[in-house]
Amino acid sequence: MRAVPQPTHHAHLRAEDLSKGFEERPVLSRISLTASAGQRLGVIGENGRGKSTLLGLLAGDLEPDAGSVTRHGSVAVAAQELPFADDDTVGTVLDRATAAARAALSEVDGSAAALAEAEPGADDRYAAALAEAERLEAWDAERRADLALAALDAPADRSRRLAELSVGQRYRVRLACVLAERADVLLLDEPTNHLDATGMDYLTARLREHRGVVVLVSHDRVLLDEVCTALLDLDPNAEGEVVAHGGGYSAFKAAKAAERARWEQRYALESARDAELREKVAAAEARLITSWRPPKGAGKHKRATRAPGRMRTVARRLDELTGQRVPKPPEPLRFTGPDLAAGPDEVLLGASGVTVPGRLRPHPDLAVAACGRLVVSGANGTGKSTLLAVLAGRLAPATGVVRHGAGTRIGLLAQESDFADPSLSPARLVRDPEPLRALGLLPDVDLTRPVGRLSTGQRRRLSLALLLLGSPHVLLLDEPTNHLSITLVDELTEAIRVTSAAVVVATHDRRLRRDLDSWPRLDLI
Ligand SMILES: Nc1ncnc2c1ncn2[C@@H]1O[C@H](COP(=O)(O)OP(=O)(O)OP(=O)(O)O)[C@@H](O)[C@H]1O
């Protein structure tokens, strides 16, 4: 008799003591987690902390150096980049996503035929096939996929080649398929990066109603708040442990700040106690050397020669105690926006009548004054990135004119960070690494690693650093929060609010839009 398939609520994911490193560098050390049906775990932490690596291990795409992962139920993954073959199409991804549903339907047909033939055990087989098809809502799989593709504004034409799609479009195709698949365990890496407001609402609703397990890596504070039942913080606490916090991001932020304050307080207290003890020991030692000289031949002489030994024992014991003390709280990377100049002209940048066929429709003219601010908004495909590329002079418009003020420096942070030679390190990409270090965007250890080995967020940090080092008078920021850690998003928001440079931001990030809601807006349609 065939086993009756497990219903979705038996979905379960368990990782025990997972460790993983690359090129002798430990990235994750002894991470354990458990997630059962109905639990939605957000994974957060600084860029390069190992969030994508953890998802890769949970998915079984990466082998751990130690530890194990147990999965109950089917798993669907949307990684930051979708690997694809040259001839893969939207249809290929859809077929893979609906394969289980199609198999379930064909089993229903096969077992129904067996039932009609009165084959032994056919009734059990038919019941199992029906249960599996119902669990997968298999009859509805194609329609669900179409709905998801439409809601996420992903290309629905089955014959479109993936190679011809943008990174964002490919991600949306993959995400739509993952959401339509009805897998038990969903593993999503930065799912909001390429979504507009409609897409984010759709994603949020699907995740909230998912009956299995969700593990998602995200910098999107609103998504973490609205979707997650717990957050796993990969930045270790005072005990060196990685722990999960119940609730969404707002609760976590408060708990994390309180924990950091306690850690700093404890460290200060233990350091003061330690210093006091050491002072006392040093003073006792000094007294011993300078003032206590018993006459030779006296019994006291033996005690005198033993005394320094005792002092050494005390000093050793003190060193041991120091080893057991709470470690110094790590100094987090702190990004401070550099002092950018306001620009040489009253109007630094202007555009009128600018269009690009198929990418950017007519829209109101725009003029960016010195110290000016502008938020560009619009659904996916309305041409925000195209407009920014045109404004930066990287793309020629088909109609209209773009005016750059004389001597005005314009810098663009594009959505994706591409580096021509991935073997070069950040330090080799600049003439002088010191200003790069001073920005506080990359730790020293990453300044000398090849760019191709850095994590996605670390590469985006580098792009941001290179942009700022050019001291632009106008900052054009295309989805600036994508791939960045939440801490840096907060710091960057503050920096662009106060900088003397003019700033144009295109973003779907709901929290950032709220933070910048006093800025003028240009809505593309
Ligand atoms: N294949 C690889 N070879 C060498 N180093 C790697 C490899 N994959 C990841 N790393 C390193 O492992 C660390 C963790 O990378 P990972 O992408 O998991 O981090 P992350 O927390 O997801 O980062 P981000 O927030 O920037 O996306 C980084 O220092 C990265 O450079």
Side-chain angles (χ1 to χ4, degrees), residues 22 27 47-53 449 453-455 457-458:
F22 295 103
V27 172
N47 290 125
R49 193 63 86 202
K51 302 180 293 293
S52 303
T53 303
R449 299 178 63 211
R453 300 266 167 78
L454 299 180
S455 70
Q458 289 169 321

